[in-house]
């Protein structure tokens, strides 16, 4: 899958997420990268920022938080496009959960780990 096709798939999956999950996202950029900094194929996504539950003052002019979606690890972990869509969805929901302050244990309990 080309990088452009992968990015389009991520956008498509994001657009299918429930409104009540994404409506309160504020100043968050979702970016697609080939791999995480360490080059591994184990990390599928990463939230970079300060969770809403940890924020104090947050105002105008702040750089956006980011959610990185890692193309090569995701492609490595799936066998077909339907599995890729499902894994991208789980990864997006997992990282959005971190934005809202959910830790890994809670995300696993909810089935998004």
């Amino acid at each position: 899958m080309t990088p452009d096709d992968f990015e389009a798939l991520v956008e498509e999956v994001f657009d299918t997420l429930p409104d009540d999950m994404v409506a309160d996202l504020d100043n968050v950029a979702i970016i697609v990268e080939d791999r995480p900094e360490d080059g591994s194929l184990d990390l599928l996504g990463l939230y970079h920022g300060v969770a809403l539950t940890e924020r104090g003052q947050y105002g105008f002019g702040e750089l956006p938080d980011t959610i990185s979606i890692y193309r090569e690890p995701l492609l490595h972990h799936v066998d077909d496009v339907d599995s890729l869509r499902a894994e991208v969805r789980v990864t997006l929901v997992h990282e959005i959960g971190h934005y809202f302050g959910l830790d890994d244990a809670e995300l696993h309990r909810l089935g998004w780990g």
Side-chain angles (χ1 to χ4, degrees):
M1 177 175 283
T2 69
D4 288 341
D5 290 342
F6 184 86
E7 192 165 324
L9 183 139
V10 171
E11 289 177 25
E12 173 190 313
V13 171
F14 180 83
D15 288 344
T16 68
L17 295 177
D19 289 340
D20 59 346
M21 179 182 294
V22 297
D24 291 329
L25 289 176
D26 184 36
N27 205 26
V28 179
I30 297 175
I31 57 174
V32 173
E33 299 180 62
D34 285 335
R35 286 189 185 202
E37 283 186 24
D38 68 1
S40 77
L41 292 174
D42 296 325
L43 188 62
L44 305 181
L46 186 64
Y47 169 68
H48 310 270
V50 178
L52 288 180
T53 55
E54 304 290 319
R55 289 185 186 173
Q57 188 76 14
Y58 191 77
F60 181 75
E62 297 287 337
L63 291 175
D65 292 354
T66 59
I67 293 174
S68 295
I69 302 297
Y70 299 119
R71 183 177 64 87
E72 291 176 9
L74 279 157
L75 291 172
H76 178 77
H77 283 86
V78 300
D79 295 323
D80 56 44
V81 174
D82 289 336
S83 297
L84 178 60
R85 273 191 190 88
E87 197 61 50
V88 166
R89 182 180 179 85
V90 168
T91 302
L92 281 168
V93 170
H94 182 98
E95 302 311 330
I96 289 169
H98 286 313
Y99 168 84
F100 287 114
L102 300 174
D103 64 15
D104 281 337
E106 182 66 8
L107 288 164
H108 283 282
R109 189 187 72 70
L110 294 171
W112 298 107

